[in-house]
């Protein structure tokens, strides 16, 4: 098998020519208005009661062509199926090693070519395929040597041609054809992250349109290949947000603590936060960029303190709400979407954006007792 390594080249001191990069400014008036509103339409999950609505550890979700929700419950090793109105339609898969069974499924995606559903199950070295009604169709064997299992991140994507992408241990993405053969490795420019708490890093994510998108979060610039072979650099103006003195001191204590555990040197917390924390590509190829903003302090609950002390960690009491800038892959700014603070999360870094297409977005949220909910919102211009 021939493995082609694709290195993304940009105009840097490394030698790329200036004309290889085309800059697009995403400073247009927001298409969704200055203050888009999120209207909650559906909430799936329960603290107790009907077992069909108890979610243990949601790892991903996808929407079928007819609007059914497939919610991947990693802890239970199954996919929960719900109608667009939230009615439970049944489950797909179970724990095991047989056909259509899962060991530790990490993601579910809809194949845009035929509407079938794919579930990535690395420990079983397979990609399972199901009909949108939940019937098992077959599996594709996958060689995953060298791949890391990372939780809480988008770790699998599928493009419009049926090629799948999986995250490997070098922050690269392997691209596989529909038969499961690796045909390419996509790598962003190498750069080691600086710091453990709110690090400066290079982030990347594959687009459903079939290319890798990447950026360094100490600037507001996102890079992707243009159809003519140049690199498109999408820029947007952003002011750096300063740390509050108490917040900065708390982060330094955490930085020192975790660096000591890793037997590494801690990094000094700078005066300002990085521009953004991470981004992900949605079903429509739009870029959702999680922005750093001012944080507020809140007291620990007794349960949070007990959990933290169990691992001998210092407290982290400063947190911010989840805020995304949404930009098309052509560089058009759609708007800034702010999620409600009542999600009861410690920090926006713990809130998972599960899926988005059209004017709807789905998130993973937790209640006061750490129970999980999948929440559907409609984006209204405002």
């Amino acid at each position: 098998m021939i493995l082609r390594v694709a290195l993304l080249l940009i105009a840097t001191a490394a030698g790329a020519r200036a004309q290889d990069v085309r800059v697009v400014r995403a400073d247009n008036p927001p298409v969704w208005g200055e203050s888009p509103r999120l209207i909650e339409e559906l909430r799936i999950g329960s603290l107790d009661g009907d077992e069909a609505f108890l979610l243990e550890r949601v790892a991903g979700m996808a929407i079928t062509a007819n609007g059914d929700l497939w919610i991947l419950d990693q802890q239970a090793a199954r996919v929960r199926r719900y109608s667009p109105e939230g009615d439970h339609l049944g489950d797909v898969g179970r724990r095991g090693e047989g056909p259509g069974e899962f060991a530790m499924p990490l993601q579910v995606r809809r194949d845009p070519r035929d509407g079938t559903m794919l579930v990535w199950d690395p420990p079983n070295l397979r990609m399972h395929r199901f009909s949108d009604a939940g019937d098992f169709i077959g599996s594709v064997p996958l060689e995953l040597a060298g791949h890391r299992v990372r939780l809480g991140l988008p770790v699998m994507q599928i493009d419009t041609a049926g090629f799948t992408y999986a995250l490997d241990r070098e922050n690269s993405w392997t691209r596989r054809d529909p038969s499961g053969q690796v045909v390419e490795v996509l790598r962003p420019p190498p750069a080691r992250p600086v710091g453990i708490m709110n690090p400066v890093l290079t982030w990347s994510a594959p687009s459903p349109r079939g290319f890798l998108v990447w950026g360094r979060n100490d600037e507001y610039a996102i890079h992707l290949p243009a159809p003519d072979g140049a690199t498109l650099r999408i820029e947007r103006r952003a002011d750096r947000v300063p740390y509050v003195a108490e917040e900065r001191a708390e982060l330094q204590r955490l930085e020192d603590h975790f660096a000591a555990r890793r037997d590494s040197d801690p990094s000094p917390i700078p005066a300002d936060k990085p521009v953004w924390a991470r981004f992900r590509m949605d079903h429509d190829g739009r870029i959702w960029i999680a922005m750093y903003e001012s944080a507020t302090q809140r007291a620990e609950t007794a349960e949070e303190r007990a959990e933290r002390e169990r691992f001998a960690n210092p407290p982290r009491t400063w947190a911010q709400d989840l805020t995304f800038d949404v930009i098309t892959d052509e560089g058009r700014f759609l708007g800034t979407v702010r999620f409600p603070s009542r999600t009861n999360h410690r920090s926006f870094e713990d809130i998972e954006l599960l899926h988005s297409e059209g004017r709807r977005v789905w998130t993973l949220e937790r209640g006061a007792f750490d129970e999980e909910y999948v929440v559907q919102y409609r984006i209204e211009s405002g």
Side-chain angles (χ1 to χ4, degrees), residues 126-149:
R126 285 178 297 199
M127 188 82 75
H128 304 277
R129 186 179 296 272
F130 299 87
S131 72
D132 60 6
D135 299 317
F136 177 65
I137 296 175
S139 299
V140 173
L142 300 177
E143 293 184 9
L144 293 176
H147 282 71
R148 68 169 68 179
V149 174

Side-chain angles (χ1 to χ4, degrees), residues 201-281:
L201 47 72
T202 297
W203 191 269
S204 64
S207 167
R209 304 185 194 276
F211 49 78
L212 193 67
V213 181
W214 68 271
R216 182 82 172 169
N217 72 342
D218 54 358
E219 63 175 352
Y220 203 142
I222 305 296
H223 305 81
L224 59 140
D228 60 4
T231 293
L232 189 66
R233 176 182 165 96
I234 301 173
E235 297 179 354
R236 178 170 166 78
R237 183 182 180 277
D239 295 325
R240 299 288 287 270
V241 177
Y243 290 104
V244 176
E246 294 84 355
E247 176 190 12
R248 186 182 181 190
E250 180 179 273
L251 284 178
Q252 191 64 65
R253 289 191 292 270
L254 286 160
E255 176 80 19
D256 297 345
H257 173 79
F258 289 114
R261 282 192 172 179
R262 297 183 181 186
D263 195 23
S264 61
D265 295 328
S267 297
I269 301 297
D272 297 331
K273 302 180 181 185
V275 180
W276 47 267
R278 64 190 186 277
F279 65 81
R280 65 175 299 162
M281 307 298 297

Side-chain angles (χ1 to χ4, degrees), residues 55-359:
L55 302 176
E56 298 180 54
R57 185 188 297 162
V58 174
M61 69 162 290
I63 309 294
T64 68
N66 64 1
D68 292 342
L69 282 66
W70 281 43
I71 298 175
L72 178 60
D73 192 327
Q74 186 181 82
Q75 182 69 27
R78 60 188 173 187
V79 177
R80 317 299 300 268
R81 297 172 52 240
Y82 301 92
S83 73
E85 296 75 32
D87 299 319
H88 184 236
L89 302 177
D91 297 337
V92 174
R94 61 181 181 181
R95 192 175 304 279
E97 300 178 356
E101 296 178 337
F102 311 132
M104 189 174 71
L106 287 188
Q107 190 55 272
V108 56
R109 287 283 187 261
R110 181 178 86 225
D111 191 328
R113 299 171 303 163
D114 57 12
T116 57
M117 308 296 285
L118 300 177
V119 179
W120 187 40
D121 187 21
N124 275 335
L125 302 179
R126 285 178 297 199
M127 188 82 75
H128 304 277
R129 186 179 296 272
F130 299 87
S131 72
D132 60 6
D135 299 317
F136 177 65
I137 296 175
S139 299
V140 173
L142 300 177
E143 293 184 9
L144 293 176
H147 282 71
R148 68 169 68 179
V149 174
R150 297 178 67 178
L151 306 180
L153 294 171
V155 293
M156 179 250 184
Q157 181 66 276
I158 184 169
D159 67 23
T160 54
F163 286 78
T164 56
Y165 303 77
L167 185 67
D168 74 15
R169 67 175 71 247
E170 296 180 353
N171 200 30
S172 310
W173 297 82
T174 52
R175 184 173 187 255
R176 289 178 170 81
D177 64 23
S179 71
Q181 294 295 311
V182 176
V183 296
E184 192 171 20
V185 175
L186 303 174
R187 293 195 178 110
R192 295 183 63 84
V194 178
I196 301 170
M197 308 305 299
N198 296 1
V200 174
L201 47 72
T202 297
W203 191 269
S204 64
S207 167
R209 304 185 194 276
F211 49 78
L212 193 67
V213 181
W214 68 271
R216 182 82 172 169
N217 72 342
D218 54 358
E219 63 175 352
Y220 203 142
I222 305 296
H223 305 81
L224 59 140
D228 60 4
T231 293
L232 189 66
R233 176 182 165 96
I234 301 173
E235 297 179 354
R236 178 170 166 78
R237 183 182 180 277
D239 295 325
R240 299 288 287 270
V241 177
Y243 290 104
V244 176
E246 294 84 355
E247 176 190 12
R248 186 182 181 190
E250 180 179 273
L251 284 178
Q252 191 64 65
R253 289 191 292 270
L254 286 160
E255 176 80 19
D256 297 345
H257 173 79
F258 289 114
R261 282 192 172 179
R262 297 183 181 186
D263 195 23
S264 61
D265 295 328
S267 297
I269 301 297
D272 297 331
K273 302 180 181 185
V275 180
W276 47 267
R278 64 190 186 277
F279 65 81
R280 65 175 299 162
M281 307 298 297
D282 75 2
H283 176 81
D284 298 327
R286 301 172 300 196
I287 310 165
W288 287 68
I289 307 170
M291 303 296 295
Y292 278 114
E293 293 192 338
S294 298
T296 56
Q297 193 172 29
R298 60 181 290 272
E300 287 184 306
T301 65
E303 292 79 8
E304 290 167 343
R305 183 180 300 107
E307 180 72 7
R308 173 179 61 79
E309 292 177 347
R310 186 165 70 92
F311 294 99
N313 290 331
R316 185 172 187 180
T317 60
W318 289 84
Q320 71 166 75
D321 295 338
L322 178 65
T323 302
F324 283 101
D325 277 1
V326 188
I327 300 175
T328 71
D329 58 10
E330 297 173 344
R332 191 181 186 202
F333 179 58
L334 297 180
T336 298
V337 178
R338 302 177 186 278
F339 285 81
S341 59
R342 58 181 172 79
T343 51
N344 292 318
H345 280 76
R346 293 288 306 174
S347 167
F348 82 112
E349 296 175 351
D350 298 325
I351 301 175
E352 184 68 22
L353 177 66
L354 292 175
H355 188 79
S356 173
E357 57 181 283
R359 283 295 190 102

